[in-house]
Amino acid sequence: MTRSHTALATDTDAQTYADGNPLGTPGEHKHHTKAPAKLTLASVAAALPLAVRKLSPRQMIHSPVMFTVLVGASLCTAISLYRPSVFGIAVTAWLWLTVLFGTLSESIAEGRGKAQADSLRASRKGVHARLRQPDGTTRDVPGTELRLNDVVICEAGDVIPSDGEIIEGLASVDESTITGESAPVIRESGGDRSSVTGGTRVLSDRIVIRITAEPGQTFIDRMIKLVEGAVRQKTPNEIALHVLLVSLTIVFLAVTMSLAPFAALAGATPSPIVLVALLVCLIPTTIGALVPAIGIAGMDRLVQHNVLATSGRAVETAGDITTLLLDKTGTITYGNRRAVNFFPANHVERTRMIEAARVCSLADETPEGRSILDLAADKGVTGADLATLERSSGNFAVVPFSASTRMSGLDLDGLQIRKGAATTVAAFVADFGGHTPAEVEHRVQEISAQGGTPLLVAQVDKDGRADILGTIHLADVVKPGMHARFAELRQMGIRTVMITGDNPITAKAIAAEAGVDDFLAEATPEDKLAVIKKEQSAGRLVAMTGDGTNDAPALAAADVGVAMNSGTPAAKDAANMVDLDSDPTKLINIVGIGKQLLITRGALTTFSVANDVAKYFAIVPALFTAAFPGLGLLNIMGLATPASAILSAVIFNALIIIALVPLALRGVKYRAVSANQALSRNLLVYGLGGLVAPFIGIKIIDLIISLIPGIG
């Protein structure tokens, strides 16, 4: 059997918006998204004390570039105290501001998570639990004393004391504490909706919970550490950038130290303060100061989308993803199949078939069953309700749906009325000596080919004669805009694979309508794992979503595994991200956030390296023009004096850090283009901008400070 088939490879009609949202921006789809915190004077003032504390050498040593500036500022401070001058004091002050602006950017980013962390802590303050003893009795204990595998009982109004899994009962739960969404959700024992989170509140009914986390390791504990930046570790890309910055710092340190003896030979020995200023202006201080803020802000954007990541590595990996594995139901399609048409057999009146479909759906509380009743009413076929039939019938029995029978219906006064999967109902009729008409078989194949689900309606009369009455067409509708979203991902070089338990014919139709690149039909957990391994062996990075225990192996194997918060503890433990909204579609947004993080870091690195060029033209002529008048030709900015030129460069070097903080926190706008197109654009905008901006900025600053006595 063919399990996979390539669907659409191209899409010439890619749109800019899907579901009313910008496709190129990690944004709101159907999930709850928190508004990003605004950068205000109040938030800057609140971050200042932490920024000052971060000036400690023990903390600064982790950032070699800014540590170099700190050492230089300290040296200039000592020199200015020993031999004070307006120029020396001014340079020293701005060097300290350069260091402070660097720590301030990181402090502002970290401060964004403080309010959320405080809110999360408050949700668990004073929470008690009813701990079930081995003898069946209960006793009240503080929620913080619960241990792994303890069993607690929660009723309506209780706050769930810790992360756990429901082992008995069903309840409506308010998860707004962690998701921000006020609408309650249903959690129940068994299946993939059994997981509950500490700090959420039970609104109705009674549940028994087995604790699945040790103290300090709960979901909220991990979320607090995440939003506060306490567990943030350098990612591989950050480490690579760190090595580059260290290398450039060492190179420019050697260059600066070698300039002193050469200048001395020419009779133009520069002062130590001037050499420090030169070094600070040449090393990549801009990106060195902003790297921590960029990383923290990237994680913050993920939290704004109600996603918890175990590390920044997972966020960055999401930006490099080349293959997306997505479930069909609930992700690509709405998942709630609805009846869209009735097709009676040739020998059956249409009204009779519809009435049989209506009757056997009266006890069916599924969305599919209710949609059959709605469609029957739309067709003008109505009748007695379930209670009336039960009262009026001498022989009445409800036949519930089960996974083994794949049928449901009613036994009514000797009649057996059934609806269910085509193969199951056909076998049911055959057991009574009946057969499936050719036109019905053709209709089943036709509905499947269209991506729908065919249900057969059958009846066995009092004499034991079985007959298939007709076919119900159930359609699982593809979400609006998905075709455009997948086309956009294709432009980015990302391959999409739809995973479904449907038969290959149905899967092919849905895949074509949605516009995915490939699909896997009749998929099992083992099949998912095999697809991931195959993609990875070809050098691709894979992301997928899941919520069940059977998804855990695939989530663990994927480079980016996103588990649903409503899912089982096994799935959440295996994944490296958890979606609090339990929206599988959000995987697409997570990829965008990862790409935005990588693009932001690359763009600001480009800007930082490029703006050093202008500083050459400001400081080098100032150093050597006296000894080598010909170098005056390099003073293309026409700076007033050597002292004003050097000080202007130092001031600009400091101010550009604080000017770029909003961009570092917000991120460079992400557009759905190829890597080459993104690189070309960033080189044009941030490379050329990094070259031009310092020339303008340094000139304006020079015009101002040249008026200061002792400098100009």
Side-chain angles (χ1 to χ4, degrees), residues 12 157 187 203 217-218 241 272 279 316 322 328 332 354 392 418 500 552 602 651 682 694:
T12 57
R187 296 288 179 259
L203 298 179
Q217 299 298 319
T218 67
L241 181 58
L279 174 63
E316 284 192 352
T322 55
K328 176 187 77 89
I332 296 173
I354 297 176
S392 62
R418 300 287 188 270
T500 177
I651 294 174
N682 286 340

mmCIF file of all heavy atoms in Angstrom, residues 12 157 187 203 217-218 241 272 279 316 322 328 332 354 392 418 500 552 602 651 682 694:
data_model
loop_
_atom_site.group_PDB
_atom_site.id
_atom_site.type_symbol
_atom_site.label_atom_id
_atom_site.label_comp_id
_atom_site.label_asym_id
_atom_site.label_seq_id
_atom_site.Cartn_x
_atom_site.Cartn_y
_atom_site.Cartn_z
ATOM 1 N N THR A 12 1.508 29.311 -7.069
ATOM 2 C CA THR A 12 1.781 30.613 -7.664
ATOM 3 C C THR A 12 0.902 31.702 -7.118
ATOM 4 O O THR A 12 1.117 32.880 -7.371
ATOM 5 C CB THR A 12 1.599 30.540 -9.185
ATOM 6 O OG1 THR A 12 0.254 30.093 -9.473
ATOM 7 C CG2 THR A 12 2.585 29.577 -9.819
ATOM 8 N N GLY A 157 -13.962 24.703 42.908
ATOM 9 C CA GLY A 157 -13.432 25.806 43.689
ATOM 10 C C GLY A 157 -12.014 25.613 44.159
ATOM 11 O O GLY A 157 -11.361 26.575 44.583
ATOM 12 N N ARG A 187 -11.028 18.533 31.393
ATOM 13 C CA ARG A 187 -9.946 17.589 31.653
ATOM 14 C C ARG A 187 -10.567 16.336 32.263
ATOM 15 O O ARG A 187 -11.422 16.427 33.138
ATOM 16 C CB ARG A 187 -8.901 18.191 32.597
ATOM 17 C CG ARG A 187 -8.186 19.414 32.001
ATOM 18 C CD ARG A 187 -7.238 19.007 30.913
ATOM 19 N NE ARG A 187 -6.558 20.161 30.299
ATOM 20 C CZ ARG A 187 -6.912 20.688 29.151
ATOM 21 N NH1 ARG A 187 -7.917 20.158 28.479
ATOM 22 N NH2 ARG A 187 -6.256 21.722 28.651
ATOM 23 N N LEU A 203 -13.432 24.170 38.304
ATOM 24 C CA LEU A 203 -14.680 24.923 38.312
ATOM 25 C C LEU A 203 -15.891 24.059 38.614
ATOM 26 O O LEU A 203 -16.894 24.555 39.135
ATOM 27 C CB LEU A 203 -14.879 25.630 36.965
ATOM 28 C CG LEU A 203 -13.821 26.673 36.573
ATOM 29 C CD1 LEU A 203 -14.150 27.255 35.207
ATOM 30 C CD2 LEU A 203 -13.719 27.767 37.620
ATOM 31 N N GLN A 217 9.922 21.564 40.473
ATOM 32 C CA GLN A 217 10.047 21.127 39.095
ATOM 33 C C GLN A 217 8.713 21.152 38.361
ATOM 34 O O GLN A 217 8.586 20.542 37.301
ATOM 35 C CB GLN A 217 10.626 19.701 39.044
ATOM 36 C CG GLN A 217 12.003 19.559 39.646
ATOM 37 C CD GLN A 217 13.042 20.383 38.913
ATOM 38 O OE1 GLN A 217 13.037 20.449 37.679
ATOM 39 N NE2 GLN A 217 13.913 21.044 39.641
ATOM 40 N N THR A 218 7.742 21.858 38.929
ATOM 41 C CA THR A 218 6.445 21.920 38.281
ATOM 42 C C THR A 218 6.494 22.811 37.049
ATOM 43 O O THR A 218 7.472 23.532 36.803
ATOM 44 C CB THR A 218 5.369 22.456 39.237
ATOM 45 O OG1 THR A 218 5.647 23.836 39.521
ATOM 46 C CG2 THR A 218 5.340 21.658 40.532
ATOM 47 N N LEU A 241 28.842 33.173 17.832
ATOM 48 C CA LEU A 241 29.002 34.624 17.805
ATOM 49 C C LEU A 241 29.937 35.079 18.910
ATOM 50 O O LEU A 241 30.749 35.995 18.716
ATOM 51 C CB LEU A 241 27.640 35.294 17.947
ATOM 52 C CG LEU A 241 27.612 36.830 17.916
ATOM 53 C CD1 LEU A 241 28.215 37.359 16.622
ATOM 54 C CD2 LEU A 241 26.180 37.343 18.096
ATOM 55 N N PRO A 272 47.118 57.242 26.882
ATOM 56 C CA PRO A 272 46.384 55.992 27.151
ATOM 57 C C PRO A 272 44.881 56.136 26.984
ATOM 58 O O PRO A 272 44.208 55.201 26.532
ATOM 59 C CB PRO A 272 46.763 55.666 28.601
ATOM 60 C CG PRO A 272 48.086 56.353 28.812
ATOM 61 C CD PRO A 272 48.036 57.594 27.986
ATOM 62 N N LEU A 279 40.295 51.625 21.038
ATOM 63 C CA LEU A 279 39.979 50.203 21.193
ATOM 64 C C LEU A 279 38.475 49.984 21.359
ATOM 65 O O LEU A 279 37.890 49.115 20.701
ATOM 66 C CB LEU A 279 40.738 49.630 22.391
ATOM 67 C CG LEU A 279 40.408 48.176 22.766
ATOM 68 C CD1 LEU A 279 40.799 47.239 21.628
ATOM 69 C CD2 LEU A 279 41.117 47.779 24.063
ATOM 70 N N GLU A 316 15.990 28.587 18.595
ATOM 71 C CA GLU A 316 16.858 28.790 17.441
ATOM 72 C C GLU A 316 16.732 27.652 16.437
ATOM 73 O O GLU A 316 16.729 27.876 15.227
ATOM 74 C CB GLU A 316 18.314 28.932 17.895
ATOM 75 C CG GLU A 316 18.629 30.271 18.498
ATOM 76 C CD GLU A 316 20.119 30.487 18.654
ATOM 77 O OE1 GLU A 316 20.869 29.523 18.429
ATOM 78 O OE2 GLU A 316 20.517 31.602 18.999
ATOM 79 N N THR A 322 13.505 22.649 8.434
ATOM 80 C CA THR A 322 13.277 22.479 6.997
ATOM 81 C C THR A 322 12.099 21.570 6.701
ATOM 82 O O THR A 322 11.624 21.528 5.579
ATOM 83 C CB THR A 322 14.533 21.905 6.320
ATOM 84 O OG1 THR A 322 14.911 20.678 6.973
ATOM 85 C CG2 THR A 322 15.688 22.898 6.405
ATOM 86 N N LYS A 328 -3.399 16.167 10.545
ATOM 87 C CA LYS A 328 -4.486 16.728 9.747
ATOM 88 C C LYS A 328 -5.593 17.285 10.630
ATOM 89 O O LYS A 328 -5.954 18.463 10.549
ATOM 90 C CB LYS A 328 -5.065 15.663 8.819
ATOM 91 C CG LYS A 328 -6.284 16.146 8.017
ATOM 92 C CD LYS A 328 -6.925 15.026 7.252
ATOM 93 C CE LYS A 328 -7.748 14.151 8.166
ATOM 94 N NZ LYS A 328 -9.066 14.423 8.413
ATOM 95 N N ILE A 332 -4.684 21.127 10.224
ATOM 96 C CA ILE A 332 -4.959 21.551 8.856
ATOM 97 C C ILE A 332 -6.458 21.702 8.638
ATOM 98 O O ILE A 332 -6.923 22.593 7.942
ATOM 99 C CB ILE A 332 -4.342 20.558 7.862
ATOM 100 C CG1 ILE A 332 -2.810 20.575 8.003
ATOM 101 C CG2 ILE A 332 -4.756 20.891 6.438
ATOM 102 C CD1 ILE A 332 -2.113 19.512 7.196
ATOM 103 N N ILE A 354 -33.232 9.626 5.052
ATOM 104 C CA ILE A 354 -32.892 10.722 5.968
ATOM 105 C C ILE A 354 -33.510 10.472 7.347
ATOM 106 O O ILE A 354 -32.882 10.719 8.371
ATOM 107 C CB ILE A 354 -33.356 12.070 5.393
ATOM 108 C CG1 ILE A 354 -32.617 12.369 4.072
ATOM 109 C CG2 ILE A 354 -33.112 13.190 6.397
ATOM 110 C CD1 ILE A 354 -33.086 13.635 3.372
ATOM 111 N N SER A 392 -42.771 5.665 23.816
ATOM 112 C CA SER A 392 -43.774 5.090 22.926
ATOM 113 C C SER A 392 -43.416 3.707 22.412
ATOM 114 O O SER A 392 -44.249 3.028 21.810
ATOM 115 C CB SER A 392 -44.025 6.025 21.740
ATOM 116 O OG SER A 392 -42.837 6.199 20.979
ATOM 117 N N ARG A 418 -28.844 1.305 12.060
ATOM 118 C CA ARG A 418 -27.452 1.536 12.346
ATOM 119 C C ARG A 418 -26.835 2.528 11.356
ATOM 120 O O ARG A 418 -27.250 2.595 10.186
ATOM 121 C CB ARG A 418 -26.630 0.230 12.259
ATOM 122 C CG ARG A 418 -27.074 -0.852 13.222
ATOM 123 C CD ARG A 418 -26.695 -0.536 14.661
ATOM 124 N NE ARG A 418 -26.974 -1.690 15.515
ATOM 125 C CZ ARG A 418 -28.153 -1.880 16.126
ATOM 126 N NH1 ARG A 418 -29.162 -1.001 15.938
ATOM 127 N NH2 ARG A 418 -28.329 -2.954 16.897
ATOM 128 N N THR A 500 -1.948 11.660 8.885
ATOM 129 C CA THR A 500 -3.348 11.372 9.150
ATOM 130 C C THR A 500 -3.582 9.875 9.234
ATOM 131 O O THR A 500 -2.844 9.076 8.659
ATOM 132 C CB THR A 500 -4.253 11.974 8.042
ATOM 133 O OG1 THR A 500 -5.609 11.617 8.284
ATOM 134 C CG2 THR A 500 -3.844 11.464 6.659
ATOM 135 N N ALA A 552 4.982 10.477 22.151
ATOM 136 C CA ALA A 552 6.194 10.793 22.905
ATOM 137 C C ALA A 552 7.478 10.388 22.174
ATOM 138 O O ALA A 552 8.428 11.187 22.114
ATOM 139 C CB ALA A 552 6.143 10.161 24.299
ATOM 140 N N GLY A 602 21.545 38.318 13.390
ATOM 141 C CA GLY A 602 22.391 38.520 12.214
ATOM 142 C C GLY A 602 22.391 39.950 11.736
ATOM 143 O O GLY A 602 23.437 40.512 11.374
ATOM 144 N N ILE A 651 31.005 58.864 22.086
ATOM 145 C CA ILE A 651 29.604 59.152 22.427
ATOM 146 C C ILE A 651 28.648 58.402 21.502
ATOM 147 O O ILE A 651 27.668 57.801 21.951
ATOM 148 C CB ILE A 651 29.343 60.669 22.369
ATOM 149 C CG1 ILE A 651 30.138 61.389 23.461
ATOM 150 C CG2 ILE A 651 27.849 60.969 22.512
ATOM 151 C CD1 ILE A 651 30.046 62.909 23.386
ATOM 152 N N ASN A 682 19.091 42.224 4.387
ATOM 153 C CA ASN A 682 19.725 42.660 5.632
ATOM 154 C C ASN A 682 21.074 43.330 5.372
ATOM 155 O O ASN A 682 21.446 44.275 6.073
ATOM 156 C CB ASN A 682 19.900 41.479 6.576
ATOM 157 C CG ASN A 682 18.589 41.050 7.203
ATOM 158 O OD1 ASN A 682 17.626 41.820 7.234
ATOM 159 N ND2 ASN A 682 18.522 39.826 7.684
ATOM 160 N N PRO A 694 26.794 56.120 11.276
ATOM 161 C CA PRO A 694 27.848 56.732 12.099
ATOM 162 C C PRO A 694 28.403 58.021 11.510
ATOM 163 O O PRO A 694 28.753 58.943 12.268
ATOM 164 C CB PRO A 694 28.937 55.648 12.155
ATOM 165 C CG PRO A 694 28.215 54.380 11.866
ATOM 166 C CD PRO A 694 27.155 54.742 10.882
#
